[in-house]
Amino acid sequence: MGKFVVVNHPLIQHKVTMMRDKNTNTKDFKQLLDEISLLVAYEATKDLPLEDVEVETPICKTIGKKVSGRSVGVVPILRAGLGMVDGILTLIPNAKVGHIGLYRDPETHMPVEYYCKLPADADQRTIIIVDPMLATGGSAVAAIQFLKDRGCTDIKMMNLIAAPEGVKAVQTAHPDVDIYVAALDDHLNENAYIVPGLGDAGDRIFGTK
């Protein structure tokens, strides 16, 4: 079973509380999401492999460490996932960014891919799928499968807020995928909104509420 990690650093808890506040404006909401995304990405990348390199300081030559092996790819689920990208790129500026667009079929209620553009070497990268809300898990499960269908084998999921139902759905369908979140909430309501949640993340990010 993949790891499920709630990154409950005091600064993250503080910033999540500010994001939950219905009176937080779009500008502040986006800034807080950037900051939380950076902090959660710090945790999600702590197992990246290292290699020794020689470096010359102003004093002498020494052996230091640098990230080796797989590069990182960030794949937001459109559209709300876009709000998490900049924070991660602040931490990992060389990461390549792909995009996955999904919609829910009104008859089958299953996620349908309408757009997918990945880095050419996505199958050689550690891919971090990002979406602020992990609610039912339907979109996340589908997005992970779309990546696997394209040869990706090293996949992580990163969310702002998750519901237990969504976590269980992803872990059941993709037990090899680690999940990192800033907060685990109580449940989903009858409209599949996370409770207590923060409302529609996409609307709050882009000011369309």
Side-chain angles (χ1 to χ4, degrees):
M1 181 66 68
K3 289 186 289 187
F4 173 66
V5 180
V6 180
V7 188
N8 58 355
H9 188 285
L11 290 176
I12 290 179
Q13 293 186 54
H14 174 84
K15 293 174 189 295
V16 168
T17 298
M18 295 173 68
M19 293 188 73
R20 292 189 193 276
D21 188 338
K22 67 179 183 180
N23 296 313
T24 296
N25 64 37
T26 296
K27 175 180 177 295
D28 292 341
F29 191 92
K30 289 167 67 176
Q31 180 64 40
L32 289 161
L33 184 56
D34 274 352
E35 294 166 358
I36 293 172
S37 298
L38 185 155
L39 292 167
V40 176
Y42 176 85
E43 182 72 20
T45 54
K46 68 187 302 181
D47 60 352
L48 290 177
L50 296 170
E51 64 183 9
D52 291 338
V53 294
E54 185 179 88
V55 61
E56 188 167 354
T57 78
I59 309 302
C60 65
K61 289 184 179 180
T62 187
I63 301 298
K65 301 285 187 182
K66 76 170 188 177
V67 174
S68 67
R70 288 175 174 263
S71 300
V72 173
V74 182
V75 179
I77 298 177
L78 301 177
R79 67 180 169 140
L82 292 170
M84 299 180 69
V85 173
D86 286 348
I88 300 173
L89 292 181
T90 301
L91 186 69
I92 317 168
N94 291 328
K96 295 283 183 69
V97 180
H99 300 86
I100 290 182
L102 305 171
Y103 70 89
R104 191 173 301 279
D105 185 287
E107 293 184 5
T108 66
H109 303 292
M110 296 298 293
V112 179
E113 174 189 325
Y114 69 84
Y115 184 79
C116 186
K117 181 72 172 179
L118 302 177
D121 60 349
D123 60 337
Q124 301 300 313
R125 292 177 176 267
T126 295
I127 300 294
I128 304 175
I129 299 178
V130 296
D131 196 6
M133 312 302 280
L134 180 58
T136 65
S139 294
V141 167
I144 293 167
Q145 189 60 53
F146 293 149
L147 288 174
K148 288 182 173 180
D149 292 344
R150 289 166 170 82
C152 299
T153 57
D154 186 1
I155 303 169
K156 301 174 187 283
M157 184 86 206
M158 206 176 104
N159 309 99
L160 173 65
I161 293 176
E165 295 92 333
V167 174
K168 181 179 180 181
V170 172
Q171 289 183 324
T172 299
H174 301 289
D176 54 327
V177 173
D178 295 340
I179 305 169
Y180 295 83
V181 305
L184 177 64
D185 277 12
D186 191 68
H187 67 280
L188 296 177
N189 66 15
E190 63 276 8
N191 297 316
Y193 274 87
I194 299 176
V195 179
L198 47 72
D200 187 300
D203 284 343
R204 297 194 67 187
I205 291 166
F206 298 108
T208 51
K209 60 178 179 177

